[in-house]
Amino acid sequence: MNYQMYKAEQLEELKRLFTQTFSDSEGVDEGKVLGELVESLVATTPKTDIRVFVAMDGNKMAGAILFTHLTFESDKTAFLLAPVAVLTEYQGKGVGQALIKHGLEAMRAEGVSLAFTYGDPQYYTRVGFERITEEQFKAPQKLSYPHGWLAQSLTEEPLTAIAGGSECVEGFNKPELW
């Protein structure tokens, strides 16, 4: 498996990956929503505010993750890891975890100090994320699943609460996604 930065010419394959993965696990409607979300995020988010990493098995995209800028009132450099997709036939083989670790290391190398995600705590704690509360780190929108709000320090410093609100990129600034 080769872990690398996404290339613009892979957009259709990226959209298909998210559509297929979420169609398999959550149903066709959810697959379509996630495929369109990813396409929109890539197309509308300024390049400075988005990073996309892919897992390639030869010429086949087996998985992908997106990181988008998350701004806190304190001007902390943070990125939100979401969404994540690994094709069904590659799930359970460590592809997703290796891809996330690759992405986190790349973000760390860029000087990003914090990574956040919103998802399954059992999965994300395996790659170093910790459960947090909105009292510690305010989410950009009201959380429908507060137990899924997680963060990770990408420096030697432990997680420390940040006062004030946060803002996500436009593509994620929709209550129904939270």
Side-chain angles (χ1 to χ4, degrees):
M1 199 65 60
N2 183 17
Y3 302 97
Q4 62 194 39
M5 288 288 292
Y6 154 87
K7 298 176 183 92
E9 62 268 15
Q10 295 174 306
L11 180 58
E12 282 305 311
E13 188 175 10
L14 183 71
K15 181 180 178 183
R16 275 195 308 274
L17 169 85
F18 278 89
T19 302
Q20 184 62 56
T21 300
F22 283 88
S23 290
D24 289 351
S25 65
E26 307 292 328
V28 173
D29 290 342
E30 188 71 7
K32 184 177 178 185
V33 167
L34 265 291
E36 290 173 359
L37 171 65
V38 167
E39 182 179 45
S40 173
L41 284 168
V42 171
T44 64
T45 305
K47 301 298 180 226
T48 55
D49 291 341
I50 188 169
R51 309 289 183 281
V52 182
F53 299 94
V54 295
M56 299 298 295
D57 184 9
N59 291 326
K60 184 176 185 176
M61 189 179 293
I65 59 174
L66 283 76
F67 286 90
T68 54
H69 199 226
L70 189 61
T71 307
F72 284 87
E73 291 175 13
S74 67
D75 290 330
K76 278 279 192 184
T77 303
F79 274 76
L80 176 67
L81 166 61
V84 174
V86 175
L87 287 175
T88 304
E89 64 262 30
Y90 290 92
Q91 291 177 11
K93 299 177 181 178
V95 173
Q97 288 184 21
L99 181 57
I100 291 169
K101 288 176 185 176
H102 173 84
L104 290 169
E105 189 55 43
M107 300 306 289
R108 185 178 289 113
E110 278 191 38
V112 174
S113 60
L114 291 167
F116 290 81
T117 195
Y118 184 49
D120 180 1
Q122 289 185 319
Y123 181 79
Y124 289 104
T125 54
R126 291 187 230 153
V127 289
F129 283 89
E130 300 173 34
R131 289 182 180 183
I132 57 172
T133 66
E134 282 212 88
E135 288 75 32
Q136 295 170 295
F137 303 94
K138 185 78 174 139
Q141 295 281 339
K142 181 174 173 43
L143 299 175
S144 59
Y145 179 64
H147 291 80
W149 190 225
L150 303 128
Q152 180 175 155
S153 172
L154 300 181
T155 68
E156 298 296 319
E157 299 297 317
L159 286 174
T160 305
I162 299 174
S166 67
E167 292 182 12
C168 57
V169 298
E170 186 63 33
F172 271 125
N173 200 21
K174 299 171 184 161
E176 64 270 19
L177 297 174
W178 295 88

